[in-house]
Amino acid sequence: MNNYRESHEGVIQPEPETDYHGHPNYTKVFFALIGLLAFSLVLGFFTSPMIAVSLIFFVAIIKAGFVVGNFMHLKFEPILIWIVIGVVIFILATFFLCLLPDVTFVERILAK
Amino acid sequence: MSQTTVSVPAARYIPQGRLGIWILIAGELIIFGGLIACYLLYRLRFPEWGAQAAHTSTLLGAINTLVLLTSSYTIVRAHSASLEREKTKIIKWMIATISLGFVFLAIKTIEYSNEISHGFTLTSPSLVKAGDSVGANFWSFYYFMTGLHATHVIVGMIIMTAAIFQVKKEKNFHRVELAGLYWHMVDIIWIFLFPLLYIAK
C-alpha cells in the first residue's frame, strides 16, 4: 500500500521511498546475465559477420531486457514510463529502418 | 484535501525524482541509440570494418562487461538496503559499485593505451595515409562511443558519491534508487557496445 503526501504544488505524490516495486531474485538475474554474456562470446565465432552481428545484437537486446525489467524494475512501473521508453525505441527503429536501404542496398546498386 | 477522495491517473503517483530519471534515461538512449544505429549501418555497408574490430581486445572487453554487470548487481543490492534504511549496507554496496567503476575505467585505460600505441586514434592518421579512410572511421566511432560512455561512468560515480554523503546524514534514501537507475543505464549502453565493437570481427 502506498503512502501518499501532498506536495507544495498540491499534487498528490507517494513518499519518495514508497516501494511499489516487486523484487525479483536479483542473484538469479545476475547469473542469467553472465550466462548470456558467455553465449555472446560463443556467437562471435560465427564465420559470417552478418549472422554474427545479428545474433549477438539479439542476445544484447535480451540482456538489456533483463536489466531494464528486473534491476530497473520497469516491469513494475506504470504505463507512463513504458510510453517514455517506447517512444525512444520507436524513434530509433524508424531512424535505422529509414536509412538502411540508402546505406546498404542503394549504394551497392549504384556502385555496380 | 482528503487523500482518499483524490482521483488521479496512476501515472501521477510516480515519484517526481523517478519520473525525472526515466526521462533523462530516454534522452541518453536517443544519443547512444543514434550512435549505435549509425555504427550498425556503417558496419553493414563496410564489412572491412571487421578487420579493424579485430584489433580490439575481446578479453578486456568481456572482463569490462563482467565488471559492469556485477556493478549493476551491487547497486541493486544497495537499493534493496535503502528500502530497509540499512545505512551500513547501503554504503558498503555503493562503495563496491564505485570501486567496480574504477576497475572498468582502469581496464579501459589499458585498452586505449594499447590501441594508441598501435596507431589507432580518434583520427588514425596512419590509416588515412595508407588510403584506408574507411578503417579510420571505425576508430572514430570506437573512441567517440566508448569515450562518451566512460564519461557517463565517471558521472555515475560522482552521483553515487553524492548519494553516499546524503545517506550518511540519513537523508534522501530514495536517491540511492535514482543513482542506481542511472548506473543501470550506463550498463545497458555497454551491453550494446561490447558485442558490436569487440565480438563482431
Side-chain angles (χ1 to χ4, degrees), chain A residues 20-75:
Chain A
Y20 54 72
H21 294 145
H23 289 276
N25 186 330
Y26 296 126
T27 311
K28 267 189 187 172
V29 175
F30 173 66
F31 283 110
L33 287 167
I34 300 300
L36 286 168
L37 168 64
F39 186 54
S40 298
L41 291 168
V42 172
L43 287 175
F45 290 103
F46 264 88
T47 45
S48 162
M50 189 76 158
I51 296 172
V53 171
S54 309
L55 286 176
I56 291 164
F57 204 73
F58 181 68
V59 174
I61 291 169
I62 297 172
K63 271 196 282 186
F66 267 100
V67 174
V68 177
N70 297 290
F71 286 171
M72 296 173 87
H73 305 106
L74 183 64
K75 62 184 180 183

Side-chain angles (χ1 to χ4, degrees), chain B residues 90-101:
Chain B
I90 300 169
I91 294 171
K92 184 185 83 177
W93 285 114
M94 288 191 91
I95 287 175
T97 311
I98 293 170
S99 308
L100 288 166

Side-chain angles (χ1 to χ4, degrees), chain B residues 96-148:
Chain B
T97 311
I98 293 170
S99 308
L100 288 166
F102 275 116
V103 172
F104 176 88
L105 292 174
I107 293 171
K108 203 79 214 108
T109 308
I110 294 167
E111 270 185 70
Y112 277 169
S113 58
N114 279 343
E115 285 145 6
I116 291 167
S117 68
H118 285 93
F120 304 122
T121 61
L122 193 64
T123 50
S124 299
S126 55
L127 287 174
V128 176
K129 263 186 193 171
D132 188 5
S133 54
V134 170
N137 278 345
F138 170 85
W139 292 103
S140 298
F141 264 97
Y142 171 84
Y143 280 107
F144 188 65
M145 290 199 292
T146 57
L148 192 61

Side-chain angles (χ1 to χ4, degrees), chain A residues 4-6 9 11-21 23 26-27 30 33-34 37 40-41 43-44 49-50 53 56-57 60-61 63-64 67-68 71-74 77-78 80-81 84-85 88 91-92 95-96 99-100 103-104 107-108, chain B residues 1 3 6 11-16 18-19 22-23 25-26 29-30 33-34 36-38 40-41 43-45 47 58 62 65-66 69-70 72-73 76-77 79-80 83 85 173-174 177 181 184-185 187-188 191-192 194-196 199-201:
Chain A
Y4 296 107
R5 68 186 166 87
E6 194 172 348
E9 296 96 352
V11 177
I12 303 301
Q13 286 270 325
E15 290 294 339
E17 294 83 7
T18 297
D19 177 36
Y20 54 72
H21 294 145
H23 289 276
Y26 296 126
T27 311
F30 173 66
L33 287 167
I34 300 300
L37 168 64
S40 298
L41 291 168
L43 287 175
M50 189 76 158
V53 171
I56 291 164
F57 204 73
I61 291 169
K63 271 196 282 186
V67 174
V68 177
F71 286 171
M72 296 173 87
H73 305 106
L74 183 64
E77 292 289 359
L80 180 65
I81 305 286
V84 168
I85 298 302
V88 170
I91 291 169
L92 289 173
F95 171 71
F96 181 78
L99 287 181
L100 187 63
V103 173
T104 57
E107 282 199 33
R108 279 185 193 179
Chain B
M1 189 189 290
Q3 291 179 8
V6 176
R12 288 190 74 179
Y13 290 109
I14 305 167
Q16 286 169 348
R18 194 180 293 167
L19 180 61
W22 274 107
I23 291 170
I25 288 170
L29 290 182
I30 286 282
I36 289 169
C38 290
L40 270 173
L41 292 166
R43 184 75 172 79
L44 293 169
R45 176 68 183 85
T58 308
T65 308
L66 186 62
L69 288 176
T70 310
S72 262
Y73 176 70
V76 87
R77 296 309 301 254
H79 172 213
S80 288
L83 297 171
R85 293 179 178 249
F173 282 88
H174 67 289
E177 183 194 2
L181 282 172
H184 292 309
M185 176 208 71
D187 183 23
I188 287 169
I191 283 174
F192 286 104
F194 169 64
L196 296 175
I199 303 181
K201 300 191 172 182

